[in-house]
Amino acid sequence: MEPVVEQSGNTEEHEACQRTSHHSEKMKNNLITRLNRIEGQIRGIKGMIDRDVYCDNILNQIAAVQSALNSVGRLLLEGHMKSCVIERIQEGDNEVIDELLKTMNKLMK
């Protein structure tokens, strides 16, 4: 059974949806562990807001979540550059550089 791919009308997005990553099981587990921790931090922040915790404490927790997400993003970016990007360049697909630059710009906002 093949996965269903949503049609957005954007060929670039459609092609990107067809690609898969090359993460090892160790890397997947590491990323999932980090994301589960971040998910718990988000729930904690929601609870802090519900309990009317002092704003500065909440803001510090938000900064911690942002830092943790940035860390996940850096790990993914590193793996992407060392595998997917190199592979596509070796195949002669230099458009991957523009894709990478767009992604990096989004991550740096």
Side-chain angles (χ1 to χ4, degrees), residues 27 56 63:
M27 174 62 101
D56 190 61

Side-chain angles (χ1 to χ4, degrees), residues 1-39:
M1 188 180 211
E2 291 188 33
V4 176
V5 177
E6 289 184 31
Q7 297 294 326
S8 65
N10 184 333
T11 305
E12 184 178 300
E13 284 180 24
H14 179 70
E15 287 175 5
C17 289
Q18 298 295 322
R19 294 186 193 104
T20 59
S21 63
H22 308 291
H23 301 300
S24 67
E25 284 303 312
K26 182 179 178 181
M27 174 62 101
K28 282 184 197 180
N29 289 337
N30 182 7
L31 293 170
I32 289 170
T33 297
R34 288 169 179 261
L35 290 170
N36 285 339
R37 192 175 308 124
I38 292 166
E39 188 176 23

Side-chain angles (χ1 to χ4, degrees), residues 61-99:
Q61 287 303 309
I62 289 171
V65 168
Q66 287 172 328
S67 177
L69 276 173
N70 287 339
S71 180
V72 169
R74 279 190 301 275
L75 283 173
L76 281 168
L77 181 60
E78 180 181 341
H80 180 57
M81 291 175 74
K82 288 181 176 179
S83 61
C84 303
V85 172
I86 289 174
E87 181 180 291
R88 287 180 58 193
I89 289 171
Q90 289 172 342
E91 293 171 354
D93 182 2
N94 291 326
E95 291 178 17
V96 69
I97 299 298
D98 291 330
E99 175 187 283

Side-chain angles (χ1 to χ4, degrees), residues 34-63:
R34 288 169 179 261
L35 290 170
N36 285 339
R37 192 175 308 124
I38 292 166
E39 188 176 23
Q41 287 176 294
I42 297 290
R43 282 193 303 272
I45 291 169
K46 287 167 62 177
M48 291 171 78
I49 291 170
D50 191 46
R51 293 187 316 274
D52 295 318
V53 171
Y54 184 60
C55 297
D56 190 61
N57 295 344
I58 296 170
L59 291 168
N60 284 321
Q61 287 303 309
I62 289 171

